[in-house]
Amino acid sequence: MKTNHSQKASNEEIRERFDNDVERFSNLETGQQTTIDAPLTMELCTEAAKYINPQAKELLDIGCGAGNYSLKMLSKIPDLNCTLNDLSMPMLERAKERISAQTSGKVTIIQDDMRNLDLPNNKFDIILAAATLHHLRSDADWELVFTKFYNALKPGGSIWISDLITHDSEQINKLFQDKYRAYLETLGGPEYGQKVFDYIEYEDTPRSLNYQLALLNKVGFKATEILHKNSYFAAFGGIK
């Protein structure tokens, strides 16, 4: 979806939408129904993190929402220190409440745009970023944020991304757009499908899986891995 970035939703508008949707995102069934294979990609991202970094102590969850990914990670590696980042304070408060109940580690919240994050170098064992990077706009944004993630990870640390993607070929993009629309229509008919496409058009600027893997390599990750791809969604990552 090629779009004019200047007509995209502002951070304030995106934040407001999520501020008003905490309950839905606290529930996996409702919070992720527009995401194809959401339970599978969550399982794969957290399982991959556990296999790469079994001794992890420090987790960073970018765009954490109500904390579902961190909770899943804690079910595999207990008592992590969790640093939670989101634009929405109500989301962060809900995430902190849910995660604090499941770890004896420290829970830290950071309300900010991921582009502004000032993260310590070599601090985190695992970074999770689910359904959030598609809010990045320009190539410069993408490179800035991927570089921040690389620097913030300990050597041997890993990042796992689960997100809406686009495709480099216009025809293949159209193929998966049509498939995704058909999937959405099974959830709520044509009006629902159109509503989701309208807000993707307004809020989101996804990049292709190829683009993001190449960028992970460019900023320094020594290995990249694809865990899953289906239609307009993929789960993948990099190891420092």
Side-chain angles (χ1 to χ4, degrees):
M1 302 176 189
K2 297 275 188 262
T3 42
N4 178 349
H5 296 170
S6 64
Q7 284 156 18
K8 288 282 180 181
S10 67
N11 269 356
E12 287 65 40
E13 291 171 292
I14 293 170
R15 180 176 53 74
E16 192 172 314
R17 184 167 79 81
F18 285 108
D19 282 355
N20 293 325
D21 233 355
V22 173
E23 290 311 314
R24 185 167 70 85
F25 281 99
S26 301
N27 176 337
L28 261 191
E29 294 306 307
T30 56
Q32 311 229 322
Q33 65 174 5
T34 59
T35 304
I36 294 171
D37 293 339
L40 173 62
T41 55
M42 179 190 282
E43 176 63 30
L44 287 171
C45 285
T46 50
E47 198 75 348
K50 183 183 87 170
Y51 271 67
I52 298 292
N53 306 110
Q55 306 301 317
K57 294 279 177 279
E58 299 288 341
L59 169 68
L60 171 61
D61 190 345
I62 298 287
C64 66
N68 293 328
Y69 263 68
S70 288
L71 288 169
K72 178 63 88 169
M73 196 70 249
L74 286 166
S75 74
K76 297 171 190 295
I77 303 179
D79 296 326
L80 292 162
N81 295 320
C82 299
T83 301
L84 312 174
N85 159 249
D86 205 89
L87 269 181
S88 164
M89 187 50 85
M91 283 286 191
L92 283 168
E93 284 168 350
R94 172 54 63 86
K96 183 172 187 182
E97 174 194 327
R98 296 171 80 209
I99 291 160
S100 297
Q102 299 298 325
T103 183
S104 62
K106 188 177 175 203
V107 181
T108 307
I109 61 174
I110 308 171
Q111 184 191 18
D112 208 344
D113 184 315
M114 61 186 130
R115 288 167 286 206
N116 300 334
L117 289 174
D118 184 14
L119 300 167
N121 288 340
N122 306 312
K123 172 163 172 81
F124 299 101
D125 300 288
I126 297 166
I127 299 176
L128 299 174
T132 191
L133 298 181
H134 61 254
H135 290 128
L136 295 170
R137 301 294 184 228
S138 66
D139 286 343
D141 280 352
W142 282 87
E143 188 159 341
L144 170 75
V145 168
F146 275 42
T147 302
K148 282 179 190 280
F149 294 160
Y150 179 81
N151 291 337
L153 281 169
K154 294 175 188 169
S158 62
I159 179 166
W160 301 100
I161 296 164
S162 167
D163 214 346
L164 175 75
I165 56 167
T166 185
H167 298 79
D168 294 323
S169 152
E170 212 170 301
Q171 294 89 337
I172 299 300
N173 203 47
K174 178 79 168 74
L175 162 68
F176 287 117
Q177 218 171 40
D178 290 348
K179 284 191 171 299
Y180 185 40
R181 188 181 289 274
Y183 166 76
L184 291 170
E185 289 183 2
T186 67
L187 298 177
E191 302 76 17
Y192 182 69
Q194 191 54 49
K195 181 181 152 189
V196 173
F197 268 87
D198 285 347
Y199 88 66
I200 289 173
E201 184 63 31
Y202 185 52
E203 281 193 8
D204 303 343
T205 32
R207 296 298 172 101
S208 71
L209 185 52
N210 293 330
Y211 175 93
Q212 293 179 70
L213 293 169
L215 187 54
L216 286 168
N217 284 316
K218 181 183 176 185
V219 302
F221 285 90
K222 70 171 193 274
T224 53
E225 296 291 350
I226 300 167
L227 304 177
H228 184 68
K229 176 190 181 290
N230 185 0
S231 183
Y232 243 41
F233 295 87
F236 57 99
I239 304 158
K240 180 170 173 175

